[in-house]
Amino acid sequence: MAETRQAASLKSIEELKQKLGVPDAVFEGTKAANGWKSGRQVDEQEFKEACEAFRKAPVNGSKEDKEAKG
């Protein structure tokens, strides 16, 4: 029963991109960062969190903050 409820909340990432108005560059970057292929199904919250994490990630791809220490 729980599996049916879970499956019902999943949508393809392409559907969520359209629904949430995610720009192409953010969508493609989020797919690459998460290793997602076209047609992947996730719930809306997971998709939103992945897009937000991509938007906040450093442009150079580093995982740590390299702020100058004086």
Side-chain angles (χ1 to χ4, degrees), residues 24-39:
D24 290 339
V26 172
F27 178 69
E28 293 300 329
T30 301
K31 278 176 51 179
N34 290 284
W36 292 349
K37 305 287 185 212
S38 295

Side-chain angles (χ1 to χ4, degrees), residues 38-70:
S38 295
R40 167 103 180 191
Q41 298 220 341
V42 298
D43 66 32
E44 188 171 329
Q45 186 61 35
E46 181 182 357
F47 183 79
K48 285 179 179 178
E49 289 171 2
C51 288
E52 190 61 27
F54 175 75
R55 285 184 177 113
K56 290 181 176 179
V59 174
N60 68 2
S62 68
K63 299 275 185 201
E64 59 187 63
D65 184 14
K66 293 186 178 179
E67 187 174 322
K69 309 274 190 263

Side-chain angles (χ1 to χ4, degrees), residues 3-27:
E3 290 176 14
T4 306
R5 226 177 292 134
Q6 175 68 15
S9 70
L10 297 178
K11 296 195 182 325
S12 76
I13 55 176
E14 291 80 11
E15 286 180 67
L16 292 168
K17 174 192 181 292
Q18 286 295 111
K19 178 181 177 183
L20 301 172
V22 175
D24 290 339
V26 172
F27 178 69

